[in-house]
Amino acid sequence: MSTQQSRSAAKLMLAPAVFLLMAWMLVPLSMTLYFSFKKYLPLRGGDLGWVGFDNYTRFVSSSSFWPAIGTTFLIVGGVLVITVMLGILFALLLDQPFWGQGIVRIMFIAPFFVMPTVSGLVWKNMFMDPVNGFFAHLSKAFGSDPIQWLSQESILSLTIILSWQWLPFATLILLTAIQSLDSDQIEAAEMDGARLLGRFWFIIIPHLARAITIVILIQTIFLLAIFAEIFVTTAGAFGTKTLTYLIFQRVLESQNVGLGSAGGVYAIILANIIAIFLMRIVGKNLSD
Amino acid sequence: MARAISKKNKIINSLIAWTIGLIIFFPILWIIILSFKTEGDAIRSPIAVIFSNWTFENYFVVQDRSDYFKHFYNSVFIAFGSTFLGILIAVPASWSMAFVPSKRTRGILLWMLSTKMLPAVGVLYPIYILFIALGILDSRVGLVVVLMLMNLPIIVWMLYTYFREIPEEILEASRIDGAGLREEILFVLTPMALPGIASTVLLNIILAWNEAFWTLNLTAAKAAPLTAFIASYSSPEGLFYAKLSAASVMAIAPILIMGWFSQKQLVRGLTFGAVK
Amino acid sequence: MSWIQLKNVSKKFDDLEIIPPLNLEIKDGEFVVFVGPSGCGKSTLLRLIAGLEDVSSGQIFINGEDATEVSPAKRKLAMVFQSYALYPHMTVRKNISFPLRMAGVSNAEQVKKVDDAAKVLNLSEYLDRKPGQLSGGQRQRVAIGRAIVREPQAFLFDEPLSNLDAALRVGMRVEISELHKRLATTMIYVTHDQVEAMTMADKIVVLQNGKIEQVGSPLDLYRSPINTFVASFIGSPKMNIIEGVQASKHRSESIGIRPEHISISDTNGTWEGTIGVSEQLGSDTFFHVKCQFQDQSITVRAVGGLELAYGQTVFLTPDQKHLHRFDKSGLRIK
């Protein structure tokens, strides 16, 4: 429906949100862009002039860059693999009838609602501490040396922590997708002679394909931006500097704003590439 | 998909589900237990911990020494403030897109969602110096504004989907009945969309409460919410497991409860409707 | 007290012209029915009159005043929607008093008017219930009640009976007609059901693809349809339209004869055919007769209880007095 009056009213009502988000986008972004082309060291001299694409090349050629890429890849990839695989299994499990469904669901979902700093510190201290942590006590009980989780198996440790946090998200999404599958389809397949594995492979998995894609895309975007867990556990040490953390350090810790801003631009481009794929899927859904 | 299955299968499913559930929930369970133990007991082996004495002392100590409730209040202020501010701005915007769609509506919605994808670290420095220039670094108000902007796309999106579920004829009937725009939104739309608005508020309070990038980088002594407060335990003095547990339990308890009620909203809000 | 006039009113959605320029006059107190197949624009036309959509061109006059730019509320029209569009979170009483509240009527007045309307519509017992607790027919009446209290210049009905079951529909038809007699207010009624149109209207407007095919009283349309479309649309079962040799015998491109104007005999008549499906309604019997000169069966009405065997040979004789003749473009030949 629309009349002239409602159309003008609508434009007015949309304006604040659009204006605010546009300002939120343009102002800081253009500032980052601006800084990326300058040599700017607030603690050591301030604005030292334009340097063209210098920061961009230096960021990529720095010795921390490729390790950061590797770390990011390992952590994000690891979490994705774990959460999607376990997410599918857990979703299938939660879809079955059993006693105490309500309480079990709370238990499965809870980790997602724990704030990242609590999550990081609890795992670091109460579980992974090589002297007093839960795992340390377990290892001693079995007569072996406790694992130095965060100082040696640091990437694995972070992957475990993040997987614990994001598993509920994947499980919930996939569970929703499974429950939207018509039981008729599965029963028809049963009548057609498909056994458990067949039903799983030919009907459930294809139906889940879209949900899995969405889980992967959304989680990737959020995982790339992970900060607090690293901040409170390793502060980037032991090879746990992700791209995001590297940029943070350049900008706020070593205060090489120009360099950090160039890094920020890289991160933004990367996120946008993934966002394009995600928006395509969302956009298709919007057209109904 | 609830079909009748054999009792034997139900028992097996229950066993597996409960076992895995308990494993996943264990860390939370463990810190609840540790929060009621003395520091000395908290670092002992698990069996010893369980059978040692229970105490409430940690809950008091945390409040005394580090002014827990100030940080709690900051979290409340920031989470509720940013969410309600977002609702104020989003309701008209979502109304407009849901009921007077134009050719550009889809594009605008997608654009808004894409702003959520912006990596915060990419604009960290500009926001940081802007806040200093405006004098709002380490202020609750500053954080309310930033978090509102971070969550606005989700709030707009969720309200949009809930508004679309309202039959448009009812709004048209109110127009014919003489309701102007203000009356239409106030007396007809909002009451009908109340469950949807409540769900949106719930989810976004949770997201704002748990936000741990801006709250860590833009606050210090005055405006630090619970996220930052807990982060201060990363450089502890002496034994601290029990205190950390108590502080953590207090920090996450409200959200765990709210989170339980917002599962469906979580799917709707964070997958942008791509999964139904 | 109102007459409504549409002058060269047209409606476009994007570039698609749903309603080409159209002229129509509705007299004060008339019960006018817009009827036509799905997508003919009847609902759109109603919504243009209501002000819920803007006209793309042309003018709408209400009581001689140009109402084209006036908002829906200020046109003083009341609308009953197909889905009733009741406010689910308000009681029946609040639903009905809502327009009065919007108009700033005093609380005492509101109570009085709501009680009066409720009495007229048999809703007095239900005033404190919410729509979710009412049956379809009751919700219907609440929607009508909400329209009545406004004492509007005209009532607009958008397929109000479509969501009711058949038995309820017949009853409500009578109630709405009685309401019209009692209030003597102009009513514009949209439906795709030609039975509703025929039984309720003072004047019928037949629409197809946004164009007015014919305007007239029910009997006018029944007796003198202006073209084959109106001829087939009005009357149930449909008029038989016959082309070819049988039509040229009457110097026409096609002829039309209603089932009730054909007599059937097993001995002699104008056309020979065989019995196909027969429909026994008790009060009437309808036979679908296959004649040689066309593929389409001819529908014939006969007295209730008459049984003829499938495949039996019969003879049909059309009543010449009620034979309609149409030319190449489907228009009536006088």
Side-chain angles (χ1 to χ4, degrees), chain A residues 213 216-218 220-221 224 243 264-281, chain B residues 114 117-119:
Chain A
T213 311
I216 291 178
L217 287 172
I218 293 185
T220 304
I221 293 182
L224 282 176
L243 183 61
V265 172
Y266 281 126
I268 293 171
I269 295 178
L270 180 59
N272 270 316
I273 295 178
I274 301 173
I276 290 179
F277 288 111
L278 181 60
M279 287 299 114
R280 273 230 296 239
I281 299 184
Chain B
S114 72
M117 313 285 159
L118 179 76

Side-chain angles (χ1 to χ4, degrees), chain B residues 215-228:
Chain B
T215 53
L216 291 182
N217 287 314
L218 294 178
T219 64
K222 278 193 289 168
L226 287 171
T227 48

Side-chain angles (χ1 to χ4, degrees), chain A residues 106 110 113, chain B residues 202 206 252-263:
Chain A
I106 300 182
F113 296 109
Chain B
L202 197 62
I206 294 174
I252 67 179
I255 295 303
L256 281 184
I257 298 173
M258 289 171 88
W260 167 238
F261 289 110
S262 59
Q263 290 174 58

Side-chain angles (χ1 to χ4, degrees), chain C residues 71-116:
Chain C
S71 71
K74 300 214 177 70
R75 293 190 191 193
K76 304 249 201 121
L77 305 170
M79 186 141 155
V80 178
F81 293 82
Q82 183 175 356
S83 64
Y84 323 132
L86 300 180
Y87 307 120
H89 54 290
M90 299 186 196
T91 59
V92 168
R93 178 182 287 283
K94 283 233 164 82
N95 259 281
I96 299 181
S97 67
F98 187 79
L100 300 173
R101 203 164 129 216
M102 289 297 111
V105 169
S106 75
N107 277 336
E109 263 291 294
Q110 284 184 39
V111 173
K112 180 174 172 306
K113 291 207 164 159
V114 171
D115 285 336
D116 287 343

Side-chain angles (χ1 to χ4, degrees), chain B residues 14-29:
Chain B
S14 304
L15 276 171
I16 301 180
W18 275 87
T19 307
I20 300 184
L22 280 165
I23 293 179
I24 293 180
F25 191 70
F26 185 71
I28 300 177
L29 191 57

Side-chain angles (χ1 to χ4, degrees), chain B residues 103 167 169-180 183 187-189 191-192, chain C residues 47 50 52 73 77 79 81 83 85-90 98-99 101-102 146 150:
Chain B
K103 272 181 287 230
E169 288 194 334
I170 299 186
L171 298 177
E172 287 179 344
S174 75
R175 275 171 224 153
I176 293 200
D177 280 347
E183 289 86 26
F187 296 122
V188 184
L189 177 71
M192 286 182 69
Chain C
R47 290 166 63 88
L52 292 173
L77 305 170
M79 186 141 155
F81 293 82
S83 64
L86 300 180
Y87 307 120
H89 54 290
M90 299 186 196
F98 187 79
R101 203 164 129 216
M102 289 297 111
R146 188 173 65 184
R150 304 187 53 208

